[in-house]
């Protein structure tokens, strides 16, 4: 017998066996993959479509009667309505909010809010800022929420689009626990300590907040060409973070600047910032009420 034919026959047999083994492997892989896909489809049908990240949202308006600069500010009348009502009505226009409540420690504010139909949560007088008041309020609500929006009660002209913007920013940034908004700073407000400034990184996360002008150049003057940013008071939080916020010890920068946002940054948490085109019209002192009323008349806002 020809040795070459034996080798050829052996080689052919080996090749055929290897081909069949390969075919069987592909069949097995195909069956496994098919089963996996079927299971996944079945799970999808059983569980329904995937839930939107941080989908349940509540807006909370902290309101306190005692204020060193403007006592009883939430009840100040603005064209015939209490300021807290003006803010509540604007917040109700936001499409991302499932519910809006007022959180206060004052009976007069509670009665006022109930008179125009707002839900009210009573909180303790020991809350040191709006964030702590929101933290206490969220734990007293019956329903569970993924995001809490802290809506400043002294912003009666807050735009609902800004509320929606910071909510969506937090929903789209799973590594952040906090979101807020900034707008362009007017040069005349550059050195006003009541106008909080903000700087962000290239990805839109907050680096720092300050009552002083930031960044600050060597000339000691504001640069008319630089896009300084003004922090708007509205902010939103992941609810799980908000519950632990009061347990965090005050931090040096927070205490020096008297800015609660700095405690978040100093503890290593990330904060998403969006820029909006908005002219801030907060009420810090009694004389600001007249300015707001004049502006509302100009815009035909009743």
């Amino acid at each position: 017998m020809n040795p070459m034919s034996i080798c050829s026959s052996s080689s052919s047999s080996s090749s055929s066996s290897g081909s069949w083994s390969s075919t069987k492997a592909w069949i097995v892989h195909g069956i496994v993959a098919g089963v996996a896909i079927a299971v996944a489809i079945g799970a999808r049908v059983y569980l329904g479509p995937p839930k939107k990240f941080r989908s349940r949202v509540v807006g909370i308006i902290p309101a306190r009667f005692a204020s060193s600069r403007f006592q009883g500010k939430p009840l100040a009348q603005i064209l015939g309505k209490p300021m807290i009502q003006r803010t509540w009505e604007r917040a109700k226009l936001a499409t991302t909010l499932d519910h809006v409540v007022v959180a206060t420690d004052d009976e007069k504010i509670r009665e006022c809010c109930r008179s125009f139909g707002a839900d009210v949560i009573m909180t303790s007088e020991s809350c040191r800022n709006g964030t702590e008041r929101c933290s206490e309020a969220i734990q007293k609500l019956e329903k569970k929420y993924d995001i809490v929006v802290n809506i400043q009660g002294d912003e009666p002209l807050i735009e609902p689009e800004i509320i929606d913007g910071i909510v969506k920013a937090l929903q789209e940034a799973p590594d952040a626990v906090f979101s807020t908004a900034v707008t362009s700073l007017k040069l005349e407000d550059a050195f006003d300590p009541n106008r909080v400034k903000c700087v962000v990184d290239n990805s839109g996360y907050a680096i720092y907040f300050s009552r002083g002008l930031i960044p600050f150049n060597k000339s000691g003057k504001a640069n008319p060409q630089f896009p300084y940013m003004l922090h708007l008071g509205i902010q939103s939080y992941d609810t799980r973070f908000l519950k632990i916020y009061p347990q965090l010890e005050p931090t040096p920068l927070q205490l020096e600047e008297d800015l609660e946002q700095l405690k978040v940054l100093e503890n290593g948490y990330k904060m998403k910032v969006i820029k909006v085109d908005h002219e801030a019209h907060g009420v810090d002192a009694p004389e600001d009420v007249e300015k707001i009323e004049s502006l509302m008349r100009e815009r035909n806002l009743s």
Side-chain angles (χ1 to χ4, degrees), residues 29-239:
H29 284 309
I31 293 172
V32 171
V35 171
I37 292 171
V39 170
I41 293 173
R44 170 65 67 87
V45 171
Y46 178 73
L47 297 174
K51 293 182 179 179
K52 186 178 178 183
F53 184 57
R54 294 171 172 164
S55 60
R56 298 163 299 181
V57 187
V58 62
I60 299 180
I61 307 173
R64 65 190 185 101
F65 190 87
S67 172
S68 57
R69 288 181 293 177
F70 191 174
Q71 187 150 340
K73 181 166 62 171
L75 303 181
Q77 293 289 309
I78 297 180
L79 294 184
K81 289 183 180 180
M83 181 164 59
I84 189 69
Q85 181 177 354
R86 295 278 182 192
T87 304
W88 179 80
E89 289 175 346
R90 298 290 290 176
K92 293 280 284 182
L93 298 175
T95 60
T96 55
L97 300 184
D98 298 306
H99 191 38
V100 179
V101 301
V102 175
T104 186
D105 59 3
D106 186 83
E107 289 290 342
K108 294 183 287 294
I109 293 176
R110 179 174 69 170
E111 292 308 311
C112 172
C113 292
R114 285 182 171 173
S115 71
F116 59 76
D119 288 335
V120 183
I121 296 292
M122 293 301 291
T123 53
S124 66
E125 295 180 1
S126 62
C127 295
R128 292 169 290 186
N129 51 51
T131 302
E132 290 192 7
R133 200 170 300 283
C134 286
S135 179
E136 182 179 334
I138 190 65
Q139 297 180 63
K140 292 183 176 181
L141 289 173
E142 292 182 5
K143 291 185 178 180
K144 302 300 180 184
Y145 296 94
D146 305 308
I147 291 178
V148 176
V149 185
N150 179 348
I151 303 166
Q152 299 296 307
D154 57 5
E155 278 272 354
L157 298 183
I158 184 65
E159 296 173 21
E161 294 80 8
I162 296 178
I163 297 174
D164 292 335
I166 65 168
V167 169
K168 291 173 183 176
L170 193 56
Q171 289 173 334
E172 295 168 2
D175 57 342
V177 298
F178 193 120
S179 67
T180 189
V182 297
T183 192
S184 297
L185 176 74
K186 295 180 179 178
L187 276 182
E188 59 263 35
D189 293 331
F191 297 101
D192 184 346
N194 293 318
R195 295 290 184 257
V196 177
K197 294 80 176 176
C198 175
V199 287
V200 302
D201 66 18
N202 291 335
S203 298
Y205 291 91
I207 297 175
Y208 194 69
F209 294 84
S210 180
R211 294 185 181 278
L213 183 63
I214 51 173
F216 193 72
N217 60 53
K218 291 188 294 184
S219 74
K221 300 176 182 178
N223 178 3
Q225 307 304 317
F226 191 86
Y228 299 105
M229 291 186 289
L230 170 70
H231 179 229
L232 301 177
I234 187 167
Q235 44 212 24
S236 71
Y237 327 90
D238 179 280
T239 301

Side-chain angles (χ1 to χ4, degrees), residues 253-279:
L253 295 175
Q254 174 204 0
L255 295 173
E256 183 63 20
E257 295 263 17
D258 191 20
L259 295 173
E260 58 190 280
Q261 299 84 7
L262 294 177
K263 182 164 78 165
V264 180
L265 297 181
E266 284 185 88
N267 276 285
Y269 293 100
K270 299 190 76 171
M271 186 183 305
K272 192 69 174 178
V273 180
I274 63 168
K275 186 171 183 183
V276 298
D277 183 15
H278 173 72
E279 192 157 350

